[in-house]
Structures are given as C-alpha cells and as structure tokens.
Amino acid sequence: MAENNKPLSLNERNDRRLQSLSLSSAPEGRDNPIKVKVQGRRRLCKLSSPPPQPPPADDVDPTVDDAVPEIRDILNDLTSRLECLSVDNKGSRRPSKAADDHPEFESATSSLSSALSAAGGFGSPESAFGGEDEKVEAECVDSVTARHESMETSQFVKEVDGDDDCVVINERVWSQPSFELVTDEGVDENVVLIDDDDELEVSDPSESINKDDDGDCITLESLGLGTYTLPGKIARILFPHQRDGLRWLWSLHCKGGGGILGDDMGLGKTMQISAYLAGLFHSCLIRRVLIVAPKTLLAHWTKELSVVGLSKRIGDYYCTCQKMRQRELNYVLQDGGILLTTYDIVRNNSKSIRGDFYIDEDPYDDGIIWDYIILDEGHIIKNPSTQRAKSLLDIPSTHRVIISGTPLQNNLKELWALFNFCCPEILGDKKEFKEKYEYPILRGNDKNASDREKRVGSTVAQKLRERIKPYFLRRLKSEVFLGSDATKGASFPKKNEIIVWLRLTHCQRQLYEAFLKSEQATSAINGSPLAALTVLKKICEHPFLLTKRAAEGVLEGMDTVIENEDLNMEQLALRVANMALPRDAQQQDDMSCKICFLMSLLDNLVMEGHSVLIFSQTRKMLNLIQEAILSKGYTFLRIDGTTKACNREEIVNDFQNGRGAQIFLLTSQVGGLGLTLTKADRVIVVDPAWNPSTDNQSVDRAYRIGQKNDVLVYRLMTCGTIEEKIYKMQIYKGGLFKTATEQKEQTRYFSKSDLKELFSLPKQGFDVSLTQQQLLEEHGCPNMDDSLKKHINFLEEQGIGGISHHSLVFSKTAPVQLMNDDEEVSKTVNKIMGGSRTSSLTEQYVDGAEYAIKPKDFKSSSARSPATVASDEAKYKAELHERINRLCQTFADKALILKLPDKGKKIEKQITELKLELDNIENRPPNRTSEIKKQEVIDLDDLSVEMQRVLSVSK
Ligand SMILES: Nc1ncnc2c1ncn2[C@@H]1O[C@H](COP(=O)(O)OP(=O)(O)OP(=O)(O)O)[C@@H](O)[C@H]1O
C-alpha cells in the first residue's frame, strides 16, 4: 500500500499537530537562578548552579530503528523549545488538573494552550474543576500571568504560607497538604473534601489499626515515630487488601527501611502507595519523595496521586527541557513534595537529584534529602551493574520501596539485587549472599545433588525465605477477589488463555528450511546461537522482518544468489520472500500465517464488538500488522517506543473512553508495562517473548481492577518451530529464562543436543504441534461455556494446527506422601528458584513472580491443623473429579481422539488411574487422612522429563 494513501492513525495526527505547533513557537533563552525564595518556604535557600546535564534519553523501545532518532531528535528539540516557552508562562509546579481530568479540554485546544492551562493547578481547585472550559482557561491564564511575573523577579511572595497552613511538629515547619478528591470524571460530588474531623486518632502504644465511627479512618502508631493517620475519605476508596498493604508499608517505615511490594499486576499497587504517601504527608512524617517510573506510567501516577489529594505536591521531573526540570526539582527540594521522574532521567541527572547542588540550611535535616524512593516496575534494576541501577543506588534515602508485579524473573542474583536496593542489610553484600545463600541453594537444587547437599540447600532456602518474609508482600488476584476475603463485594471476571497453534505458510516454510541449511545456522550450534535463533523467530512472524544478513543466509540455504544488485535490507527480504512464494500467491498476507490468522480473528472480534489489544515484541511487526489492518479499513490506536509521553496518556484515554478505536497496537516493551487498558476484553500476543513475564505483563493490561468482562487471551505460536520450543521453555523453566538480549546467560539453558534439535527440521513437520498434543493428553479440555466453545470452533475452522489451554498448563496435581520439614523447605527452594510452581485452578502464570513469598500464607508443615489437612484433601478430591470430567469429555470427542497418535489410549489409561486414586481416597479410613495431602508444587524438571517420555512414545 502506498504510504500517501494511508489514512493517518491518531498517533500520526498527534505528531503532525505537535510538529506544526512547535514550528510556530520561538525558542527561549535560559537563566540560572542562583538564589531564590520559593513560595511556601519561610526563608531563603541557596542553590548552586548545576552543570549542564545531558538531555534525557527517551524510554525508547529497543526495537526502534537507527534512522528514527534523527527525526525524533528534531521533534524533541522542537517540543523542548515549546515546553521552555510554556514553562516560563506556566510557572506552576503543579500538574494540570484540567488536563488530567478533562482530556477533551486538552485535545480541543492547541498544545500550546493546554501547556498554558497546565498552570490551572496553581489556581484554586474550584477554578480547575469548574467544568466550564472557558472559565478554566481564563483563570489558568490569569494565574499563569501572575506567576510568570513573580518568577521573573525571582522574588516569590508567600501567598499561602501563613501559620494557618502549617503544622508544627518538633519545631519543624512543614506545609500542610490540602486534600481534594478527584475521580476520572473530575471532582466526585459525593466525596467531601478531607478534613481532620474524619479522623480519630487512638493512642495505642503498639502498632494497630484503628477505626473511626464510620469504620474508615486508619490510624497507625509506633512508639517514638509518631502517629500515621490516613483520613477516612481516602481509606474508604481503598480495597481491603490495599489497606492491609498500607499496614505492611507502615511496618517497614517503623523498621526504618524499605521492601518490595510485589502484588499481582493490576491489584492497584500505585493506589496503595499513593494513599500511603498521602497519609505520611498528612501526618507530617515525611517531606520529600522520589518516584521513578517508566515514562508510560507517569500519567497514571499523576492521576492516582491526585485521587488521594496530592496533586499539588507533585514536581514533574521528566520533560525534555532541563530548565523546567531543574525548577521542579528546586521546588521539591525546598518545599517538600513528590518528584516524579523516569529511570533514564535519573541515570543522567543523579547528582542533581541526589542534592549535590542543594544547600539546605535546615539545622534539623540529617543530610538525607529523600525520605522515600519508590521504584515502579522496580525489577528494571535487577542488574546492579547497569548505570541505571548504580545511579539509583547512589541516591541516599531513608526508605526505599520497589513495586513490581513480576519481581522475580530469572534467578537468585536478581532477588539479591532488588533487596540490596531496598533493604541492603538483610542479605548482606553480593559475596556474602553468594556464599551464604545462593551457592548452597543452587547445589541443593541440582538434579545430581547428594542427600546432604539437598538437606543443606533446603535449610538455607528456608533461612532465606524467613529472612526476606517481612520485607516482601505479594497477593494474587485469585486470592484477593476470588478467595474468601473477596472485597467490596466485587466478583472478578474470568480469564481464559489459549495458545493458538498456527501452521507456517508455504513461504515461511521455504525460508525456515533454507535457513536451517545455511552456514549461519549450522555454525550456531557450536558458536553463538542467539543470532540464528532470532532469524528463525523472525521467519515465524513475517519474512519481511529479516535483516539483510539474515536474508543472505537464507539465500545461501536456497542455493541462490542475487548478483550485481545493490539491494537494501527490505528489498532483499522482499526478494527472498517472493522467491519462496508459490506462484499463485498474490496477497502479502500469504507470507505470514500470523497476519493471515490475525485478520480473520479481527474480523470476528470487531464484528462482535470486542475491544482488542495486539502486542508484539517489535515495531516492525506492528508496522506490518498496521498495514494489514489499514487495508481492511479498520481504525486503530498505537503506542510504541517512539510515541511521546504526552501523547501516550491521550491515546490510552481515547481507548478507555471508547473514543478512539476498537483495536490497539502496542509493543510489549512499552505498552506492556503498567498501563490499564480494561476497555479491552481480548488480548492477542503475536510473538512469544523469551522471558515469560513479558507476555504476562502484556496480558494483564486488560485483566486487572476495572475489568468488567471475561477476558480471552490468544497467544499465537507456530507449530514445530522455535516458537514451540520457546513456549516449552516458558513452561518448564517458569521464568528462569534470560531475555534474548543477554546472550551469555541465554546459552546456558541450551545443551548441545537441545541446540541440534532447535536447528533441525521438526520430524513431525510444520502442521502439528507435539506440545499441543501433550497438553491435550495431560489435561484434556477445560469446562467451557457455550460462547467460548463456539468461538473455539470458529478458530479451528481457520486452518490452524490446534488450540491449547494455557490456563490448564499447571493445574496438574498428584498425591504424595506427607513430607518432612526438609522436603517442605525444598519446595520453598523450588519456589524461590522458579524451578517449580504452585497449582491454582483459577489463574495461572508462568512468570517467576509466582514464586514470590507470600508472608501471610507461609506455614511450616508441622503447624498444619487437622482441619487444614482435611480441607486440602477435599480440594484435592474436587480437583480429581474435575480432571476426570475433563478427560472424559475429551475422550468423548471422537473426532479429536482420532487425531491423536495413540487414538486416545493414554487418556483412557489416565482416566482409569485417576478413578482408582479417587476410590482410594474416598475409602480411606478417616484417621489416615493426614497421610495424604495435595501436592502443592510440581517440579517442572520432572514434568519436562515426563513430557519427553510422552513425546518419545508419541513419535
Ligand atoms: N481502590 C481502588 N478503587 C478503584 N480503582 C482502583 C483502586 N485501586 C486501583 N484501582 C484501579 O485499578 C487499576 C489497576 O491499578 P494499577 O495500575 O495501580 O495496578 P498495579 O498493581 O500497579 O498494576 P501493574 O503491576 O500492572 O503496574 C487502575 O485503573 C487503578 O486506577
């Protein structure tokens, strides 16, 4: 399709609008304030001029092409000039309430006027939420002008810094925050502004939670540390698990340190932390907080902080204009407040943030600028040798909290890195940790470990678990919403995840086979396999993704050369793909089974009115999908690494409000992190990631608080290819994988024979997936409602290789004898290591985060009461019943059974065995019930071995 004829996507339209606005704005000179007096502060503070800092790097999708930055640089420059202009006009440190709560206001006016309107935060809350756009704009401009004038003279007049606005504690004067409650629609009229009447402080010397007459206000006490009070108006909007989280955070505060909030994705960690901070500020227990988050999440933070009344305390430290950033930092350093920034900006500005250029004259200050550092998606610093992690470690803070829904992704070293950031004293330095914990645990977990090594490993793992327990909080959605303590009367929708096994197109097969014959592939077995694996993966997605070098490799395998032609990468890839196409193939769609399937699926989903998220690892693949979507005339929204932060929020809002389009294209790296996209009830993961938590993050953009419909997830895999292996590894290793970028680590997981298998043609061909067959034999089909059954029938009619139910992958349980303490600890090792996993029928994840420690439910086996054992047995029996039913249903499907290599013999045998097992349990005398219990953990290695056995039988 010719570029000119394409309708513009919203992103493109936004970019053009911004570009034209930027061109019309003039650049502004910079000044370096030496000595300023800032509103809200009682005396002058000195500020030395920081050296010029490099411009912040965008949080860029790693897949961005090299050619793009040039254009982006120009755009950045223009935007930065616009922002400088706006800042000087803006003058306010507080973000735009009008823009936050009335996105339509922002989009209806020009970017320039919306930048001006940002100053609305400086005006009274009433003016910002009057609901009349014109009035808002006029008041914004007024306050901007006033502010601008006062800033020019660098003599800020204290406007609200009277004694009335301050509370005095220990002779320190801190400004009292004013609270305002805001919802998505603006000010919630049902919510009364928070005032002290809502609070009831109870002086219990021990830490406790106390409630006011309404049963809402939260008051926590600790001897010597003062009283933490969260006003009832905020406490009321929290879910019970979030209030528990608050208590846990306060326990960390009282210990004087930090920890990891590792709740499942979408459980409202941002709100938990925001509410907690609101209480701390409200109780005058802290002055400054640094929040570091990926760029995409800044708007979400601003929104959640505003909901708890902290909007006026936010300093935005993330724009491209250094002058504006510095001003925001100065405000927070002097006034106190929350500095909101990104990882990349911290990396390039750590000295300024650390306060190297700030001289605080407050005699009571202990020299530590920050009371709290909060890292959102904190697993980002899992590698302590990166500059990103180092710069954060360099910033002193009294408390450090990591937030991550996927805190444990790969191994124990990463666990240490995260704890080393937030509470370094508990695990010691790296060397100590290695000797004391990592080494013995790894030895004990080794398949060839001696009994003694296993015992030692188990004991050490238990010690480790006990050590980190108080500092690590993780709850799952299944526990919070589906368990007995379901909150707010909420019934949470279901999530079904299916693997759609696709068959490579003729073109893809030709290329795949040709590449396997190439020198690049054969040498990969003995050398570095990563590049070759990447080529195979690209062929599975779309032949156009091949690079020039890869295409040359493929040509070599095809025994062909293109002579005397200087083709660029895309031309070469196109040429190679065309050579592999059958003669009658006209459509570009025929090149990629993924695009082909995606288009028929979208036809169905769009027609049925579903909103759909489509995730891919690469921008290039998204471009190809975008082209196919445009050719069908569908509208779409898109976010990737090149989408500007200011546009991301608008795009997300458009999607959530149903104003944009039904289809949303996202790169996993950018769109998969932290966003709430609950408008969507269908999620398509186009290409599997090496690190399973990446895919799980994507999926949970839709499956989170706020979701009203059942969610269906499609993970697209190609039969008999590298993708099938990736999926198996996602299952077997449960998150112990390194991402494809970490080449050295990656190769550790492949034995030579594995590699040989990876680089050879699948014996069963490209039409069937052995993994699918194994999973079917193991688990059968789940109980499905009629609409899902109908939909799966539709999918099967699209010429696919088959469907697997990802949600069942880990539901297998088997009875075992009661374990002694060591064995119990051994489970812990497995959990920590990610080598095994628990079984949960409602919700299954393959990420290492699953193995995080849940302090609440950790009990040693000796502490298990007979009632618990009996309830476990009941659960186990129910599971057995369910499995038998599922297998019987599968067995009854004659058409399906005929497709199996053994014609269903194995399933029949399994049904018999399970029935026998059930009989045994039901006929067991009551006093022997304690001898059995549900096996909570299945060792993935064992599962893998078993699957290998099944594989060899079925071959
Ligand atoms: N108490 C609450 N009441 C209503 N909505 C809430 C509440 N807490 C959180 N939410 C909403 O739930 C959604 C998910 O919250 P949030 O994005 O903070 O989750 P998260 O745990 O940080 O997820 P992730 O790990 O994916 O970043 C958001 O839309 C948020 O506004």
Side-chain angles (χ1 to χ4, degrees):
M1 172 175 282
E3 188 70 26
N4 297 346
N5 298 335
K6 277 186 213 165
L8 290 180
S9 72
L10 258 184
N11 307 19
E12 288 163 334
R13 287 206 297 272
N14 283 337
D15 274 347
R16 290 201 182 174
R17 197 174 56 195
L18 185 66
Q19 211 173 350
S20 65
L21 279 164
S22 305
L23 285 167
S24 63
S25 63
E28 188 76 1
R30 294 180 174 189
D31 56 27
N32 287 320
I34 302 296
K35 207 170 190 185
V36 289
K37 181 167 195 293
V38 180
Q39 174 191 356
R41 192 74 177 170
R42 289 199 307 175
R43 62 177 181 281
L44 284 175
C45 287
K46 281 182 214 143
L47 284 164
S48 58
S49 297
Q53 300 288 342
D58 272 358
D59 288 358
V60 174
D61 181 341
T63 59
V64 172
D65 291 337
D66 288 346
V68 177
E70 264 184 43
I71 304 164
R72 241 199 5 252
D73 285 346
I74 297 167
L75 271 175
N76 279 346
D77 181 41
L78 290 169
T79 318
S80 139
R81 286 198 275 162
L82 173 68
E83 277 168 335
C84 280
L85 186 71
S86 309
V87 176
D88 286 348
N89 285 330
K90 176 184 168 189
S92 167
R93 55 177 297 199
R94 304 303 172 215
S96 162
K97 300 301 300 170
D100 278 348
D101 303 305
H102 298 278
E104 68 281 8
F105 168 62
E106 191 176 11
S107 53
T109 56
S110 71
S111 291
L112 181 59
S113 67
S114 67
L116 287 173
S117 77
F122 180 64
S124 66
E126 296 78 30
S127 70
F129 301 112
E132 298 163 39
D133 291 348
E134 279 176 21
K135 188 179 155 208
V136 172
E137 197 173 359
E139 289 185 7
C140 291
V141 174
D142 281 347
S143 64
V144 165
T145 318
R147 180 72 174 209
H148 184 53
E149 282 166 8
S150 76
M151 286 187 78
E152 291 226 308
T153 57
S154 292
Q155 292 292 314
F156 296 136
V157 183
K158 194 170 77 174
E159 291 177 359
V160 289
D161 195 21
D163 284 347
D164 289 348
D165 296 294
C166 302
V167 287
V168 181
I169 292 186
N170 294 341
E171 299 172 36
R172 296 171 75 159
V173 180
W174 295 347
S175 55
Q176 172 84 322
S178 61
F179 287 89
E180 63 205 23
L181 281 178
V182 186
T183 66
D184 276 353
E185 287 78 41
V187 170
D188 184 346
E189 290 181 356
N190 299 318
V191 178
V192 189
L193 286 186
I194 289 159
D195 61 43
D196 288 345
D197 294 344
D198 290 315
E199 300 158 16
L200 176 74
E201 299 190 7
V202 182
S203 292
D204 183 342
S206 62
E207 294 167 27
S208 62
I209 205 161
N210 300 297
K211 297 186 171 185
D212 64 7
D213 292 341
D214 296 338
D216 289 328
C217 165
I218 296 176
T219 303
L220 302 164
E221 279 241 337
S222 180
L223 279 181
L225 278 174
T227 304
Y228 173 95
T229 307
L230 183 70
K233 293 292 182 290
I234 300 178
R236 243 196 302 278
I237 58 176
L238 297 181
F239 286 99
H241 75 275
Q242 292 173 322
R243 282 183 229 143
D244 288 347
L246 228 79
R247 251 182 289 181
W248 174 77
L249 286 162
W250 176 248
S251 77
L252 297 181
H253 187 94
C254 298
K255 287 190 188 92
I260 300 175
L261 176 58
D263 282 347
D264 199 359
M265 291 164 283
L267 277 179
K269 294 185 284 295
T270 321
M271 173 56 77
Q272 254 172 100
I273 295 285
S274 299
Y276 175 63
L277 293 179
L280 287 174
F281 275 114
H282 182 79
S283 315
C284 302
L285 292 169
I286 57 167
R287 290 180 67 186
R288 301 184 200 97
V289 177
L290 175 66
I291 296 180
V292 187
K295 193 160 62 174
T296 325
L297 302 187
L298 297 173
H300 182 49
W301 272 102
T302 305
K303 186 174 149 232
E304 302 289 66
L305 289 168
S306 302
V307 168
V308 297
L310 290 175
S311 63
K312 291 191 175 168
R313 293 194 158 260
I314 306 170
D316 294 332
Y317 192 75
Y318 48 79
C319 72
T320 45
C321 173
Q322 193 202 333
K323 185 179 162 190
M324 182 179 174
R325 288 204 312 269
Q326 190 58 42
R327 194 167 290 171
E328 297 281 306
L329 175 62
N330 293 346
Y331 279 128
V332 172
L333 290 178
Q334 293 164 74
D335 255 2
I338 299 167
L339 194 75
L340 188 54
T341 189
T342 70
Y343 286 90
D344 283 333
I345 290 196
V346 173
R347 190 182 55 206
N348 293 327
N349 299 273
S350 59
K351 285 187 179 160
S352 295
I353 297 172
R354 204 165 61 189
D356 283 9
F357 313 110
Y358 170 67
I359 303 158
D360 191 355
E361 294 173 343
D362 190 336
Y364 297 99
D365 272 359
D366 52 8
I368 296 181
I369 303 262
W370 301 102
D371 295 297
Y372 270 83
I373 296 183
I374 313 278
L375 298 190
D376 195 7
E377 306 295 348
H379 54 262
I380 285 175
I381 61 150
K382 65 186 180 216
N383 182 351
S385 60
T386 58
Q387 197 49 41
R388 189 179 261 179
K390 281 182 190 161
S391 58
L392 278 158
L393 276 162
D394 264 1
I395 303 173
S397 173
T398 316
H399 308 273
R400 288 167 163 170
V401 176
I402 279 181
I403 311 175
S404 172
T406 49
L408 302 185
Q409 304 207 331
N410 297 291
N411 54 39
L412 281 173
K413 279 191 198 78
E414 292 173 1
L415 182 78
W416 173 82
L418 300 193
F419 279 107
N420 183 51
F421 177 78
C422 49
C423 33
E425 65 288 350
I426 69 161
L427 295 181
D429 66 19
K430 204 170 178 177
K431 187 164 170 276
E432 189 184 338
F433 175 78
K434 203 171 173 167
E435 283 164 8
K436 198 167 163 187
Y437 297 107
E438 189 186 2
Y439 185 66
I441 291 174
L442 286 178
R443 285 295 296 260
N445 209 43
D446 192 292
K447 264 190 188 164
N448 303 320
S450 67
D451 285 348
R452 187 173 176 280
E453 283 169 337
K454 279 183 191 159
R455 271 198 309 277
V456 172
S458 299
T459 314
V460 172
Q462 184 171 22
K463 272 190 196 150
L464 175 61
R465 187 176 164 122
E466 286 294 321
R467 188 84 186 106
I468 63 178
K469 194 164 70 171
Y471 308 92
F472 193 10
L473 181 67
R474 176 163 173 84
R475 283 85 49 97
L476 296 179
K477 280 190 277 264
S478 50
E479 295 168 3
V480 171
F481 289 109
L482 304 176
S484 54
D485 58 345
T487 56
K488 276 194 179 175
S491 68
F492 209 64
K494 284 196 297 255
K495 177 177 73 172
N496 279 298
E497 290 195 59
I498 55 174
I499 308 294
V500 183
W501 295 101
L502 300 174
R503 296 176 168 137
L504 290 181
T505 61
H506 177 82
C507 167
Q508 285 173 303
R509 284 171 204 220
Q510 298 280 305
L511 297 178
Y512 202 95
E513 288 176 16
F515 184 73
L516 288 180
K517 282 192 240 157
S518 74
E519 164 70 22
Q520 218 178 318
T522 42
S523 63
I525 298 172
N526 295 316
S528 159
L530 189 81
L533 291 174
T534 309
V535 174
L536 290 177
K537 199 164 177 285
K538 282 182 177 172
I539 296 174
C540 295
E541 311 313 330
H542 199 301
F544 280 8
L545 298 179
L546 291 176
T547 59
K548 190 170 182 184
R549 185 158 175 263
E552 282 166 358
V554 173
L555 280 177
E556 185 199 314
M558 290 169 117
D559 296 329
T560 318
V561 272
I562 297 177
E563 285 171 5
N564 300 328
E565 282 188 70
D566 188 17
L567 300 175
N568 69 25
M569 189 184 83
E570 303 233 330
Q571 288 165 330
L572 191 61
L574 181 64
R575 182 70 67 89
V576 173
N578 278 333
M579 286 166 69
L581 271 181
R583 282 180 189 248
D584 55 343
Q586 298 295 321
Q587 290 289 319
Q588 192 224 91
D589 290 3
D590 293 342
M591 284 189 191
S592 159
C593 59
K594 297 227 168 160
I595 301 266
C596 225
F597 173 78
L598 202 58
M599 288 308 112
S600 11
L601 179 60
L602 280 179
D603 286 343
N604 177 276
L605 297 181
V606 171
M607 190 186 69
E608 290 186 354
H610 295 288
S611 292
V612 190
L613 306 181
I614 302 178
F615 285 97
S616 171
Q617 306 283 310
T618 63
R619 280 200 317 121
K620 267 186 164 182
M621 185 63 184
L622 276 193
N623 291 345
L624 293 165
I625 295 171
Q626 178 175 316
E627 269 185 35
I629 286 174
L630 281 169
S631 70
K632 287 239 174 193
Y634 292 132
T635 51
F636 65 92
L637 294 165
R638 174 168 170 162
I639 282 187
D640 60 38
T642 60
T643 315
K644 294 204 151 298
C646 51
N647 291 348
R648 290 179 192 182
E649 188 191 358
E650 190 185 334
I651 296 167
V652 167
N653 284 339
D654 278 348
F655 182 74
Q656 284 290 80
N657 297 331
R659 281 196 301 255
Q662 269 174 276
I663 302 171
F664 201 158
L665 304 179
L666 310 102
T667 47
S668 329
Q669 302 285 343
V670 175
L673 222 53
L675 292 180
T676 291
L677 300 168
T678 42
K679 174 81 182 164
D681 58 352
R682 295 293 181 265
V683 184
I684 305 171
V685 181
V686 174
D687 37 10
W690 292 100
N691 182 345
S693 5
T694 308
D695 290 348
N696 295 330
Q697 281 272 7
S698 301
V699 165
D700 277 18
R701 294 315 99 211
Y703 191 62
R704 57 209 285 110
I705 292 179
Q707 180 54 257
K708 296 192 174 61
N709 302 314
D710 288 347
V711 173
L712 182 55
V713 180
Y714 310 79
R715 295 172 181 245
L716 309 189
M717 310 274 172
T718 42
C719 302
T721 67
I722 176 76
E723 288 192 336
E724 185 161 345
K725 308 291 189 309
I726 293 176
Y727 181 60
K728 280 165 80 168
M729 278 182 279
Q730 283 192 351
I731 300 171
Y732 300 154
K733 293 297 172 186
L736 275 179
F737 239 128
K738 286 285 185 187
T739 56
T741 47
E742 295 170 31
Q743 192 173 337
K744 276 182 193 160
E745 300 291 333
Q746 181 75 61
T747 53
R748 256 189 7 193
Y749 297 106
F750 292 104
S751 69
K752 257 204 165 155
S753 63
D754 288 337
L755 281 175
K756 270 193 189 138
E757 198 198 324
L758 283 171
F759 291 108
S760 51
L761 284 172
K763 290 194 184 85
Q764 77 282 8
F766 289 112
D767 282 337
V768 286
S769 155
L770 293 179
T771 311
Q772 186 228 341
Q773 289 186 2
Q774 289 162 18
L775 293 175
L776 183 70
E777 285 167 2
E778 280 301 313
H779 305 290
C781 291
N783 291 326
M784 293 181 278
D785 59 30
D786 287 346
S787 69
L788 184 57
K789 264 189 209 156
K790 202 172 139 211
H791 185 62
I792 289 196
N793 285 342
F794 158 79
L795 296 177
E796 284 172 342
E797 283 161 13
Q798 307 306 308
I800 61 171
I803 297 276
S804 296
H805 294 270
H806 182 70
S807 316
L808 289 181
V809 165
F810 296 106
S811 63
K812 183 187 157 192
T813 54
V816 288
Q817 294 301 305
L818 247 185
M819 286 182 280
N820 59 31
D821 278 355
D822 273 350
E823 284 163 328
E824 179 76 32
V825 176
S826 170
K827 283 197 317 184
T828 310
V829 180
N830 284 334
K831 275 190 170 186
I832 293 169
M833 296 298 299
S836 316
R837 48 170 298 123
T838 53
S839 161
S840 154
L841 285 173
T842 42
E843 207 178 313
Q844 305 294 342
Y845 292 93
V846 203
D847 62 326
E850 180 82 357
Y851 314 115
I853 287 31
K854 288 171 272 175
K856 211 169 72 177
D857 64 10
F858 180 79
K859 290 183 194 115
S860 76
S861 57
S862 55
R864 290 162 62 82
S865 69
T868 318
V869 172
S871 120
D872 277 357
E873 186 181 314
K875 271 192 218 155
Y876 178 57
K877 279 200 287 192
E879 272 184 40
L880 279 179
H881 272 298
E882 199 180 320
R883 259 194 96 199
I884 292 169
N885 282 346
R886 277 205 308 263
L887 286 170
C888 287
Q889 272 177 17
T890 311
F891 194 66
D893 187 341
K894 293 297 167 210
L896 194 114
I897 290 296
L898 282 175
K899 283 189 205 159
L900 294 176
D902 65 350
K903 305 288 178 264
K905 281 207 178 89
K906 185 154 186 283
I907 294 183
E908 198 178 3
K909 192 170 157 226
Q910 278 177 330
I911 295 173
T912 317
E913 282 169 6
L914 288 171
K915 281 186 174 163
L916 206 67
E917 174 60 32
L918 193 62
D919 274 355
N920 275 344
I921 295 173
E922 282 174 345
N923 297 329
R924 201 188 301 272
N927 60 354
R928 289 193 59 208
T929 50
S930 62
E931 285 180 23
I932 62 150
K933 67 172 184 171
K934 178 179 130 181
Q935 185 187 16
E936 290 172 15
V937 171
I938 298 169
D939 190 306
L940 290 175
D941 286 335
D942 291 346
L943 185 66
S944 161
V945 168
E946 196 185 333
M947 281 196 155
Q948 286 301 332
R949 187 178 53 75
V950 176
L951 244 180
S952 55
V953 171
S954 64
K955 264 181 202 168

